[in-house]
Amino acid sequence: MSDGQKIATRASTEIEAWLREWDGTVSVENVEYEAAYQEKDIDLLWMTATRDYSIEIKADRNDGTGNFFFETISNKEKNTLGCFLKTQADFLFYYFVEPRTLYILPMPRTRKWFAENINRFEEREAATPVGKDHYITVGRIVPIDIVLKEVSGVKVKQL
């Protein structure tokens, strides 16, 4: 298992456990390996006493930057839409695994704000390892404090 997969698995495990402890939670279902949900970029289904929610998880190791990396192109060579633009989830759970800090971003509200402000943020590329090879992911570096200030409904939780 690659480091990236280990981080993603850890994030899913910790977030699922945290959601199960919430008052009102009926169930949490991990659907990240189900094709129908992969197409929608949805990782979890969270059923509560009042409503059901879909969640996309973004696990990140780089907490010290003060930034989010909003993925716009998943695979540059294949020109596939990035998860931040593609997800059909109700929420993007952006999780910094080392300090265990979770940012709950309401989608599509956050995506709409991002689309209106995309040119404010620097574009960067990152190599994503796959076995002995890699592919290039493209995204924007978005300061967390700006998101907290400008997007209503964002929550921050310490797990």
Side-chain angles (χ1 to χ4, degrees):
M1 184 182 285
S2 73
D3 282 349
Q5 289 171 317
K6 287 177 188 172
I7 294 296
T9 298
R10 177 179 164 191
S12 292
T13 301
E14 291 176 4
I15 289 169
E16 286 175 54
W18 178 74
L19 286 172
R20 284 189 178 93
E21 292 176 6
W22 267 58
D23 273 348
T25 292
V26 173
S27 68
V28 178
E29 182 181 356
N30 187 313
V31 294
E32 62 187 321
Y33 298 109
E34 295 182 28
Y37 290 103
Q38 286 176 336
E39 289 177 25
K40 299 175 184 180
D41 268 334
I42 293 173
D43 294 324
L44 300 177
L45 300 177
W46 178 31
M47 285 63 84
T48 72
T50 57
R51 185 170 166 210
D52 297 344
Y53 301 95
S54 55
I55 297 166
E56 170 67 5
I57 298 172
K58 165 72 168 138
D60 197 325
R61 291 177 273 214
N62 298 318
D63 177 57
T65 68
N67 298 311
F68 293 126
F69 180 78
F70 287 169
E71 183 186 273
T72 55
I73 300 172
S74 176
N75 184 320
K76 185 176 178 180
E77 292 79 12
K78 294 180 180 179
N79 197 30
T80 53
L81 196 58
C83 95
F84 188 82
L85 300 178
K86 181 181 172 188
T87 186
Q88 294 177 31
D90 297 311
F91 294 100
L92 176 70
F93 278 24
Y94 202 110
Y95 186 56
F96 289 100
V97 293
E98 226 15 78
R100 297 184 60 168
T101 305
L102 175 65
Y103 293 87
I104 301 171
L105 307 173
M107 302 296 279
R109 181 184 312 143
T110 307
R111 181 176 31 241
K112 180 180 183 295
W113 169 84
F114 177 68
E116 293 167 355
N117 291 278
I118 192 169
N119 291 326
R120 292 170 57 190
F121 309 114
E122 179 185 351
E123 185 174 79
R124 289 248 183 99
E125 295 183 353
T128 302
V130 178
K132 295 182 191 251
D133 204 5
H134 72 279
Y135 62 90
I136 301 298
T137 299
V138 181
R140 299 287 175 138
I141 304 300
V142 182
I144 293 169
D145 62 334
I146 290 176
V147 174
L148 293 173
K149 204 178 310 175
E150 297 182 12
V151 181
S152 65
V154 175
K155 306 270 189 253
V156 184
K157 303 290 180 183
Q158 196 63 48
L159 272 57

